[in-house]
């Protein structure tokens, strides 16, 4: 009830051309999209006075998609849709080596046209342009959203709020190149004169997941692996002391640099871990100021915080409040650990890949625009077909951390319940994302994907392996074996297997219901040449922009994250209580409910 007061919220809203009418006095209840199993399921209740609603769901374009779903999609099966060759050939797009096949979505060519109409009604392209210009589209924090500027080419003109953003970005990148080269060449040594071989990056959320995904992706890539020979990069994210042990037990502090990564430099987990590692360094080398100077550096927007911690400004690699934490991997957040481990050139190739996708997103027509297509498909599956969960399956072990990164990018961005105007949304937004590399996922949760709930899937495959193995005498290589699954699973999900097909295989009648696959389960397939720094940059930007497209159409703010605050505040109260009871023998205060008080009492 506290949200969505139209009159007080309106000044915050980021106005978009032609979408909204007058303010509503009350807000419709949130309703789930209609169930997907029955073609005759009821449509979500429209606002009582559509003309007065400011919601995208009140537009004729939304209504047209609802009618199309009921009349066409609910009565079609992917098995039949895939037989229409002209449809299947049309549902494909590519950019700079990245192929997107979306023929296995529950869409026709008409669905896509209607989705493009919806995008126009939502002023999608106007919003994308506003983001690129540096308008303050993150209205609740009054900030620009400029992560694309982090990978713009040197010299690209971008002045925002009177500041030459490109010059600032490249100033920091040049400093990172110089520093990482000094460390890698042995010019910058530890306090006791030893060469630095190890890096522990301390950070959490966006200050960890993106760099970790890139690190894992490059570990086995030939050129990157060569550049990293004899070096170790680890990430300490969890405040759990067990994570400290796992990261430090076999490293020599005298050969280790600690990179403290925190946009705000106020995050408790990171501050606790940074202090623990400072003690670890001091225990090994004494408390001389040289220890922190030679072994600790930081990436942050908070220069005061880093200096209070004891890190001098020349060892801080800044970024800016217009970089959201989950969109920060292209800033010093990713640049420093990745360039320390793999050299700056690798990181630059990563930026180039992201830049290629940025330019494509900003300029390609919607019909051929990969992030727009994937974003609109997301809106369709979530808000119209009611599929609230989505799975990501990279068919390479090198991308094992990519699903976790996409999970934060998407769920922290689009896990919202009000529009930019503060109105409660009356349509489902924000998917639950999860995933695992193939083929491991197939032997874990694919049973549910084939026979349980319908979960739209993204399959990511590569033409070449980072590690091609061809056994003599084997008909297919190990990589072919992997890729065979990448091709087979989407068809199995889409086509399923009919009772007749099962009977033809000689299955007994009792078994038929158990071995029949209903199919009609949507997926997209992305095919790329090779998993390397460049293609990782492309994938990163593709998924960042998919999230933005969905948020723009839903008219929510994908760039704030107020939802993580409440738990943090409550943890402070618990932390104080633990201290008071444990060290001052004070009773557990009445301000905790009986449930929390009981377990807290037991813990203490
Ligand atoms: O969990 C919330 C969050 O603010 C994320 O958005 C962010 O990526 C993470 O915490 C870490 O924040 P910081 O970089 O400020 O330490």
């Amino acid at each position: 009830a506290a949200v969505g007061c139209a009159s007080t919220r309106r000044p915050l809203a980021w106005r978009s051309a032609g979408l909204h009418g007058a303010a509503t006095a009350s807000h419709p209840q949130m309703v789930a999209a209609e169930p997907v199993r029955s073609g005759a399921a009821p449509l979500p209740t429209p606002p009582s006075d559509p003309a007065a609603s400011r919601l995208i769901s009140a537009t004729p374009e939304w209504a047209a998609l609802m009618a199309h779903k009921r009349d066409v999609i609910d009565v079609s099966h992917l098995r039949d849709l895939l037989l229409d060759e002209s449809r299947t050939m049309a549902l494909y797009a590519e950019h700079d080596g990245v192929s997107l096949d979306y023929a296995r979505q529950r869409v026709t060519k008409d669905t896509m046209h209607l989705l493009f109409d919806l995008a126009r009604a939502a002023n999608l392209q106007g919003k994308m342009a506003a983001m690129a210009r540096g308008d303050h589209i993150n209205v609740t924090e009054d900030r620009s959203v400029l992560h694309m500027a982090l990978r713009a080419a040197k010299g690209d003109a971008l002045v925002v709020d009177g500041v030459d953003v490109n010059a600032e970005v490249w100033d920091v990148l040049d400093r990172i190149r110089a520093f990482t080269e000094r460390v890698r060449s042995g010019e910058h040594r530890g306090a006791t004169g030893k060469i630095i071989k190890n890096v522990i990056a301390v950070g959490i959320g966006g200050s960890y997941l993106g760099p970790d995904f890139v690190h894992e992706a490059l570990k086995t890539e030939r050129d990157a692996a060569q550049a990293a020979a004899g070096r170790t990069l680890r990430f300490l994210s969890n405040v759990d002391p067990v994570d400290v042990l796992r990261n430090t037990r076999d490293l020599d502090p005298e050969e280790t640099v600690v990179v403290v990564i925190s946009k705000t430099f106020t995050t408790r987990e990171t501050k606790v871990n940074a202090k623990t590692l400072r003690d670890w360094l001091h225990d090994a080398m004494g408390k001389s100021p040289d220890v922190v100077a030679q072994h600790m550096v930081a990436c942050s927007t908070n220069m005061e915080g880093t200096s209070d911690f004891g890190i001098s400004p020349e060892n801080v690699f800044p970024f800016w409040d217009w970089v959201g934490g989950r969109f920060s991997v292209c800033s010093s957040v990713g640049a420093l650990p990745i360039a320390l481990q793999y050299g700056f050139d690798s990181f630059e190739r990563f930026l180039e890949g992201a830049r290629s996708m940025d330019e494509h997103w900003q300029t390609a027509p919607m019909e051929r625009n990969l992030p727009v297509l994937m974003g609109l498909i997301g809106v369709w599956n979530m808000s119209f077909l009611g599929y609230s969960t989505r799975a990501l399956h990279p068919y390479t072990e090198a991308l094992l951390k990519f699903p976790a990164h996409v999970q934060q990018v998407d769920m922290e961005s689009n896990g919202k319940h009000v529009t930019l105007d503060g109105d409660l949304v009356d349509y489902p937004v924000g998917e639950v994302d999860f995933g695992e590399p193939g083929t491991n996922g197939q032997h874990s949760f694919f049973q549910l994907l084939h026979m349980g709930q319908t979960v739209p899937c993204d399959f990511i495959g590569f033409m070449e392996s980072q590690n091609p193995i061809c056994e003599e005498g084997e008909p297919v290589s190990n990589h072919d074996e992997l890729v065979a699954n990448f091709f087979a699973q989407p068809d199995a999900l889409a086509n399923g297997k009919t009772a007749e097909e099962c009977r033809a295989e000689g299955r007994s009648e009792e078994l038929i219901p158990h071995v029949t696959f209903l199919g009609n389960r949507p997926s997209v397939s992305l095919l790329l040449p090779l998993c390397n720094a460049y293609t990782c940059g492309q994938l990163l930007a593709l998924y960042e922009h998919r999230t933005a497209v969905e948020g723009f159409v839903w008219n929510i703010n994908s760039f704030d994250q107020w939802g993580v605050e409440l738990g943090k505040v409550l943890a402070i109260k618990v932390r104080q209580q633990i201290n008071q009871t444990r060290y001052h023998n004070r009773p557990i205060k009445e301000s905790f409910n009986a449930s929390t008080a009981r377990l807290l009492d037991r813990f203490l």
Side-chain angles (χ1 to χ4, degrees):
V3 294
C5 172
S7 55
T8 57
R9 294 279 161 164
R10 291 208 85 173
L12 267 184
W14 168 34
R15 302 265 161 250
S16 60
L19 173 60
H20 303 307
T24 48
S26 62
H27 305 287
Q29 289 298 304
M30 215 186 301
V31 289
E34 60 200 284
V36 291
R37 288 198 190 99
S38 157
L43 290 169
T45 321
S48 49
D49 178 5
S53 174
R54 298 182 292 161
L55 298 174
I56 186 73
S57 55
T59 57
E61 290 79 4
W62 189 280
L65 275 160
M66 275 296 177
H68 170 77
K69 163 187 150 40
R70 185 190 57 224
D71 299 340
V72 180
I73 301 303
D74 282 347
V75 293
S76 315
H77 194 289
L78 267 175
R79 193 186 298 133
D80 305 315
L81 292 176
L82 278 165
L83 295 176
D84 174 352
E85 210 173 308
S86 112
R87 167 197 170 276
T88 298
M89 296 311 283
L91 302 183
Y92 174 86
E94 59 183 46
H95 165 69
D96 191 13
V98 183
S99 302
L100 167 69
D101 186 334
Y102 57 104
R104 286 171 199 75
Q105 285 297 318
R106 295 188 62 205
V107 295
T108 63
K109 287 192 256 183
D110 286 344
T111 322
M112 295 315 296
H113 289 306
L114 292 170
L115 284 168
F116 298 141
D117 289 344
L118 183 72
R120 279 184 278 272
N123 189 26
L124 172 64
Q125 278 172 321
K127 292 177 179 184
M128 285 162 53
M131 175 174 159
R133 281 198 297 273
D135 291 8
H136 287 208
I137 67 169
N138 177 356
V139 289
T140 61
E141 296 178 308
D142 193 18
R143 288 175 182 168
S144 312
V145 177
L146 277 173
H147 45 273
M148 283 193 294
L150 297 170
R151 51 248 190 170
K154 202 174 197 169
D156 267 12
L158 180 64
V159 177
V160 176
D161 299 333
V163 175
D164 183 343
V165 169
N166 187 268
E168 287 201 347
V169 165
W170 276 96
D171 181 48
V172 174
L173 286 175
D174 286 341
R175 280 184 55 212
I176 290 174
R177 182 198 291 274
F179 175 74
T180 54
E181 279 173 3
R182 280 208 313 280
V183 173
R184 290 173 57 82
S185 68
E187 187 189 329
H188 175 111
R189 296 197 175 208
T192 57
K194 285 198 182 173
I195 288 182
I196 301 289
K197 292 193 214 149
N198 316 314
V199 175
I200 304 180
V202 180
I204 197 163
S207 294
Y208 151 62
L209 291 161
D212 193 25
F213 130 62
V214 181
H215 171 45
E216 289 295 338
L218 297 186
K219 247 183 195 174
T220 38
E221 195 271 325
R222 199 192 50 208
D223 296 344
Q226 258 169 27
R231 304 192 157 273
T232 301
L233 170 60
R234 290 190 184 157
F235 292 88
L236 172 57
S237 57
N238 200 333
V239 73
D240 183 348
V242 172
D243 208 10
V244 174
L245 179 67
R246 286 167 178 243
N247 273 288
T248 56
R249 62 182 157 188
D250 55 346
L251 294 188
D252 178 355
E254 295 178 44
E255 298 177 342
T256 304
V257 152
V258 175
V259 182
V260 186
I261 306 177
S262 176
K263 177 176 173 180
T264 56
F265 224 79
T266 58
T267 304
R268 281 290 301 180
E269 292 92 327
T270 300
K271 288 186 83 172
V272 169
N273 277 334
K275 279 190 194 131
T276 304
L277 288 200
R278 188 174 58 190
D279 291 346
W280 177 69
L281 295 168
H282 282 154
D283 286 351
M285 291 175 276
K287 274 202 171 178
S288 123
D290 274 3
V291 171
V292 170
Q294 297 303 107
H295 292 265
M296 292 193 93
V297 295
C299 306
S300 185
T301 60
N302 179 357
M303 296 300 283
E304 213 179 306
T306 51
S307 126
D308 287 351
F309 186 83
I311 301 178
S312 56
E314 67 271 17
N315 283 341
V316 181
F317 299 89
F319 58 109
W320 306 272
D321 68 1
W322 43 259
V323 185
R326 55 193 174 275
F327 299 101
S328 65
V329 59
C330 293
S331 71
S332 57
V333 167
L336 200 53
I338 298 300
L340 280 168
Q341 180 72 0
Y342 299 105
F344 190 83
D345 289 350
S346 279
F347 189 74
E348 223 178 344
R349 279 197 290 281
F350 173 68
L351 295 183
E352 284 160 10
R355 185 187 312 151
S356 159
M357 193 56 77
D358 292 344
E359 285 166 3
H360 167 72
W361 184 47
Q362 286 289 321
T363 56
M366 287 198 283
E367 295 74 10
R368 289 193 281 108
N369 192 312
L370 271 51
V372 168
L373 290 167
M374 285 181 61
L376 292 178
I377 286 166
V379 169
W380 172 245
N381 284 333
M382 176 81 202
S383 298
F384 293 88
L385 301 187
Y387 301 141
S388 58
T389 308
R390 179 169 58 187
L392 175 56
H393 317 293
Y395 274 66
T396 172
E397 194 61 17
L399 286 185
L400 84 161
K401 293 295 183 75
F402 189 52
H405 177 60
V406 169
Q407 195 171 54
Q408 190 205 7
V409 165
D410 199 75
M411 291 174 72
E412 200 165 81
S413 298
N414 287 343
K416 304 289 159 67
H417 67 309
V418 291
T419 66
L420 286 160
D421 298 293
D423 298 320
L424 271 180
V425 290
D426 69 349
Y427 39 93
V429 304
E431 299 88 340
V432 176
D433 290 288
F434 75 103
E436 273 290 319
T439 64
N440 288 14
Q442 292 174 206
H443 300 273
S444 163
F445 49 78
F446 267 53
Q447 165 65 36
L448 182 143
L449 304 188
H450 284 289
M451 287 187 162
Q453 296 182 41
T454 297
V455 178
C457 295
D458 291 1
F459 290 91
I460 302 179
F462 292 90
M463 296 192 222
E464 264 184 76
S465 173
Q466 288 183 343
N467 182 36
I469 298 175
C470 254
E471 299 284 350
E472 217 174 298
E474 289 293 332
V476 294
S477 72
N478 299 34
H479 183 65
D480 290 340
E481 186 72 41
L482 174 77
V483 172
N485 289 275
F486 162 80
F487 282 108
Q489 289 293 333
D491 273 337
L493 288 166
N495 293 325
K497 195 170 182 185
T498 63
E500 286 65 41
E501 286 169 329
C502 297
R503 276 190 196 100
E505 283 177 356
R507 296 287 192 184
S508 70
E509 273 313 306
E510 306 82 74
L511 215 50
I512 296 290
H514 301 281
V515 293
T516 299
F517 292 66
L518 298 177
N520 213 16
R521 286 149 197 264
S523 64
V524 297
S525 297
L526 284 162
L527 185 62
L528 295 95
L530 169 73
C531 183
N532 58 23
Y534 188 85
T535 52
C536 281
Q538 290 179 308
L539 282 172
L540 172 90
L542 174 60
Y543 277 85
E544 285 179 347
H545 301 329
R546 175 184 76 172
T547 292
V549 167
E550 294 192 51
F552 287 156
V553 173
W554 286 325
N555 203 34
I556 59 178
N557 185 355
S558 301
F559 305 108
D560 62 12
Q561 57 286 317
W562 298 102
V564 295
E565 293 305 317
L566 183 59
K568 285 187 193 172
V569 173
L570 290 181
I572 296 174
K573 211 170 105 181
V574 178
R575 198 180 300 129
Q576 285 165 349
Q577 183 68 59
I578 290 173
N579 178 280
Q580 289 293 304
T581 308
R582 182 165 283 155
Y583 301 109
H584 306 283
N585 220 15
R586 305 250 162 81
I588 293 176
K589 284 190 295 184
E590 287 162 2
S591 52
F592 294 101
N593 61 43
S595 163
T596 305
R598 178 179 49 202
L599 278 191
L600 199 50
D601 183 50
R602 193 165 160 72
F603 170 73
L604 284 162

